Amino acid sequence: MTKIPVGILGATGMVGQHFIKFLDGHPLFELAWLGASERSAGKKYTDAAKWHLGGRAPESAARLTVEDAKPGNAPQILFSAMDASVATEIEQAFAKAGHTVVSNSRNHRMDADVPLLVPEINADHLNILPLQKQLRGWKGQIVTNPNCSTIVLTMGLAPLAQFGITRIVATTLQAVSGAGYPGVPSMDILGNVIPYIGNEEEKMQEETQKIMGSFAVDRIAPLTARVSAHCNRVAVVDGHTVTISVEFSAKPTEADIRNAFDTFSAVPQQLNLPSAPKQPVQYMVEADRPQPRKDAERDRGMAAFVGRLRPCPVFDWKFVALGHNTIRGAAGAAVLNAELMQAQGLLD
Ligand code: NAP
């Protein structure tokens, strides 16, 4: 099968590098184009970008020259890791010019006509795309993935949605890699906890409601459950941990919840998408797991790990969830989104 050529907007940045690494050897997509700012345009990738991940930049990127992030030579399908200060205009320019932009940036996530897609949870939200075309007059389209802490919360809750979630309190312990490079100064974070991440709590609250909301005709109706997030940066390199207390209308038993976690499977697993974890949510029975250092990278960083299910004296149940923030929370999430769109004929 001929692979589909794809490009990366913001290819020199931290998330751009994760895209390059995740796409290396991908069975459907082939890296054909790299875009960044005019500071990088015209340079060989290895001259334009300081590689922050393990090893060297893959040959698939090292052989390419970075181009200006403007429509023209770019392939039809683009992954976006653009700096948020410029993502709105640049992503829109590409969509207007007929490209599919599968974005990791926050800019369009909450637009009413843009899917905030987690294929295990809301594959049907792609049905909003005809409205996007109609309202915006674009030949192309924009699809987004959630913030790196929202994905962990929503993946942990997805198997439990059937019990009627009414209230959620979620507290994060977020890795430093979520702040990009160079990110949080070492003097601030070593031996410390920073109880503030700008706009993160608002993002977690509203994104969760949109992701877990329901698609109806021409709109995505948000989940009515109330969500309260507390976000903290901790001295962990990769892997966001979220402790979750949740209230349900159906009052499930412990066995109901364990069974829901253990049997959860969704559209990406049914379609056998290349980046889909076989078991998207994995319950760990050990009392002290999941842990970021031991578990975040399992299953290529694409699964969510949950554990410590116990009664909550305030709500009904509480548990812990963990996910890889730069893989499932960024590049891997967007690639899975594109795989779902390809399987549904939305990249043709
Ligand atoms: P970053 O390292 O600062 O990279 C930003 C990228 O945007 C670089 O490739 C940069 O190119 C490009 N860029 C900046 N200004 C530009 C301009 N005027 N025109 C064209 N390109 C421009 O940022 P990041 O940490 O990878 O984050 C990228 C996006 O993903 C952000 O929207 C962020 O919120 C989101 N995100 C990040 C994480 C994370 O873990 N870091 C997780 C989830 C979501 P040059 O190198 O040429 O300047």
Side-chain angles (χ1 to χ4, degrees):
M1 178 189 158
T2 317
K3 290 192 189 183
I4 301 167
V6 297
I8 301 172
L9 291 163
T12 50
M14 193 68 196
V15 176
Q17 298 187 12
H18 278 283
F19 271 120
I20 289 168
K21 189 174 168 199
F22 200 83
L23 287 167
D24 195 39
H26 193 280
L28 299 179
F29 304 131
E30 179 151 47
L31 193 58
W33 185 90
L34 302 173
S37 77
E38 54 191 22
R39 294 180 289 276
S40 307
K43 294 182 187 163
K44 275 192 64 158
Y45 183 72
T46 43
D47 294 330
K50 183 177 171 198
W51 187 253
H52 299 301
L53 310 183
R56 292 184 187 281
E59 191 48 33
S60 55
R63 68 191 164 85
L64 297 175
T65 298
V66 179
E67 298 195 29
D68 219 347
K70 293 200 177 89
N73 294 330
Q76 187 74 18
I77 318 301
L78 293 164
F79 293 102
S80 173
M82 295 297 311
D83 189 275
S85 64
V86 291
T88 304
E89 292 75 19
I90 293 177
E91 291 181 355
Q92 288 188 11
F94 277 92
K96 202 171 169 189
H99 297 267
T100 290
V101 180
V102 186
S103 178
N104 179 62
S105 300
R106 66 166 185 265
N107 305 52
H108 293 288
R109 285 182 194 146
M110 292 307 297
D111 292 3
D113 56 350
V114 173
L116 179 50
L117 189 63
V118 181
E120 283 89 347
I121 303 176
N122 62 7
D124 63 325
H125 288 199
L126 285 170
N127 291 325
I128 203 78
L129 285 173
L131 182 72
Q132 187 187 108
K133 280 212 165 84
Q134 189 189 320
L135 291 177
R136 312 242 189 182
W138 292 341
K139 283 183 276 167
Q141 53 196 345
I142 298 179
V143 168
T144 59
N145 63 260
N147 167 276
C148 47
S149 44
T150 310
I151 188 96
V152 181
L153 173 62
T154 53
M155 289 282 285
L157 289 173
L160 313 183
Q162 58 184 302
F163 303 122
I165 297 171
T166 48
R167 288 192 292 176
I168 303 158
V169 173
T171 302
T172 69
L173 299 98
Q174 298 183 221
V176 287
S177 59
Y181 186 88
V184 192
S186 57
M187 289 288 280
D188 286 343
I189 195 69
L190 289 177
N192 202 13
V193 170
I194 301 173
Y196 173 73
I197 303 173
N199 299 319
E200 194 83 347
E201 294 174 350
E202 294 80 356
K203 278 190 251 175
M204 267 188 96
Q205 291 164 184
E206 62 183 16
E207 290 182 15
T208 297
Q209 289 173 321
K210 179 171 178 180
I211 292 162
M212 300 191 78
S214 45
F215 173 79
V217 193
D218 59 356
R219 70 183 286 260
I220 295 163
L223 183 75
T224 51
R226 280 190 284 160
V227 187
S228 175
H230 305 252
C231 293
N232 306 284
R233 186 79 67 196
V234 298
V236 162
V237 177
D238 287 317
H240 287 354
T241 301
V242 186
T243 60
I244 302 165
S245 282
V246 57
E247 181 188 70
F248 301 101
S249 53
K251 304 300 171 201
T253 63
E254 181 172 0
D256 293 335
I257 294 182
R258 278 296 308 279
N259 183 53
F261 282 142
D262 292 343
T263 57
F264 182 67
S265 179
V267 174
Q269 287 69 40
Q270 284 143 24
L271 294 175
N272 205 15
L273 300 180
S275 302
K278 291 269 171 292
Q279 197 181 343
V281 180
Q282 300 179 24
Y283 189 85
M284 303 191 69
V285 292
E286 297 92 332
D288 60 353
R289 301 285 275 275
Q291 294 178 16
R293 184 143 37 100
K294 293 179 178 166
D295 300 312
E297 294 198 355
R298 291 170 56 200
D299 280 19
R300 291 187 72 210
M302 289 298 287
F305 298 91
V306 292
R308 298 210 63 223
L309 177 67
R310 58 221 190 274
C312 172
V314 179
F315 291 170
D316 293 320
W317 291 97
K318 55 184 175 179
F319 61 99
V320 60
L322 167 77
H324 199 298
N325 53 296
T326 55
I327 302 177
R328 190 62 215 238
V335 174
L336 187 64
N337 284 353
E339 290 169 4
L340 175 65
M341 294 176 76
Q342 192 272 339
Q344 298 195 343
L346 293 168
L347 298 185
D348 297 340

